[in-house]
Amino acid sequence: MSHMRNWNFLPHSLLLKIFSYLPPLEVARIRRVSITWDEVSRDNLLWRFLFKGFWKANINVPPHRHTYQTNWEEEFKTLYLDSPTQLSETLTSHTDEVLHVSFSNNGLYFATCSKDATVRLWDSTNCEQRHCANLNSLFYWQYTQFSQFNTSDSLLLVSGAHFGPHSISGEIAVFDVEAFVLQSRVLNKPYDVFGCWLYDDTVLSGILYPRSGLTSCSGLWLNKAYQYTDNESQPVVKLLYRFLNYGASTVRMIKICDLPSRNESEREIQTNDNIENIAKRTKLDGSTQSNDNNPNRTKLLIFTAGNRTYIPHLIAFKRVDESRTAIDPITDTAVEPSDDDSVPPEFDEADRLIDLEGHILGLAVSPDCRFLYCNVRSWPRGTQISDPLVPPPIAREIELRCFDLLDFSQLDSELPIHGHVGHRANDECFFIHPDVSHDLVASGSEDRVGYVWHRRYKCVVSQLSHRSVVNCVAFNPREPGMLVSVSDDNTIKVWRSRSSLETCASN
């Protein structure tokens, strides 16, 4: 007892020095020894030091959760308990490489696409398969590659590629989520346009029109998701935009986001209530209220393109003119080739182009539609391209760059998130899809590991182990502590946070 009393009388500065050599969990445990130890173990500067050492984090920014008081112990608990670090399920229904995974907006379902040409719908609560459609037996697809739920989660868009060693043709199929019955099919060329939802009942697809030389035209078409109509003269498709392509490139990876106004975005950041705002927009059945008719939000079209080479190295942005989105009787015709090298008046131009000077592998928009994350394998600095058909070499390391969609500025130009890698050559690269939650950003990698970083501290909080390339990751938008990763090892892995596992166990 006298020995313990001596420990209690040690100066606080000495106890702090001793505690700084302990792991954070031990520091939290030893506070039960005495009142003095409890007081010292809660020192904020001590936890700042432990936080930086444990997470290897960039802590030159204040904890974003604590506007009025910095609390590094609470920040440590949040990362440790709420990050998806624990493997809870491994699903093996796919018989070939799994290429993509996406969640419904209400978080109740997720869909997976694979080279076995199936799309599978899963219940995110118990990870049981609800539906499966084989697009090879139905429509002779070679594989499925992308899926997206509409805003109300009533429909699922699935895109894939047609057969053929040199075919760039693809197709989009729309299924209703409840019965998984086909609602419509749309041609999609090239297949890596992917397709996306413009409105709750309107799909955006692409068609490639050839022109002379290394130029072409990418037409983006509006398509009604329900294409059955009693009136045969009622149109269900409409040409929205024509973009002129240079250097044998094409429009790819199209996305639509509801861009908030600057006042709205700053208000959400200042009050830090993104999750609460999402909860307020959630209906009783778990579905979300649509932003389609929100007058404060502008629809922003995002896609990748190229001009120096056919490799996608440009990010293009265009605000959607919603006066052009009503599907009226069709008057548009296919684009006629022209030898004029200037942009003819019948072509549309992007509002903004950003050259990433590297091969773009994937895009993801943050839940508040404020930030865009891009996976990029960079070219050597100062690269000069003489032949558009011979792309330059690319770096092995993948960078995850972040852009503010309100002013298109890059936020992390000096220190982008990195650590994941790619091994394929510049003409053999495929997609590595990232995803973003309120606090975290994640990506697959070719080193058989998926990575999860904290968006602000840029530290790795979880590594998702597979036996082959990790192609895609997706957060559950209603339960950010749940993440799904898919891989070339034919598996789907479900990862959960420690806190969510404890909740499941208690239930």
Side-chain angles (χ1 to χ4, degrees), residues 448-477:
R448 300 182 294 179
V449 178
Y451 295 89
V452 183
W453 299 268
H454 194 276
R455 288 174 59 181
R456 180 172 289 257
Y457 303 124
K458 299 180 181 179
C459 57
V460 176
V461 298
S462 181
Q463 295 189 13
L464 319 170
S465 177
H466 280 266
R467 298 192 311 275
S468 188
V469 173
V470 182
N471 294 308
C472 184
V473 294
F475 290 100
N476 186 326

Side-chain angles (χ1 to χ4, degrees), residues 3 105 272 389 467:
H3 178 69
N105 300 286
N272 195 29
L389 300 180
R467 298 192 311 275

Side-chain angles (χ1 to χ4, degrees), residues 140-143 161-169 191:
Y140 305 102
W141 288 15
Q142 186 174 4
Y143 55 85
H162 289 153
F163 271 106
H166 304 292
S167 174
I168 63 170
S169 179
Y191 57 81

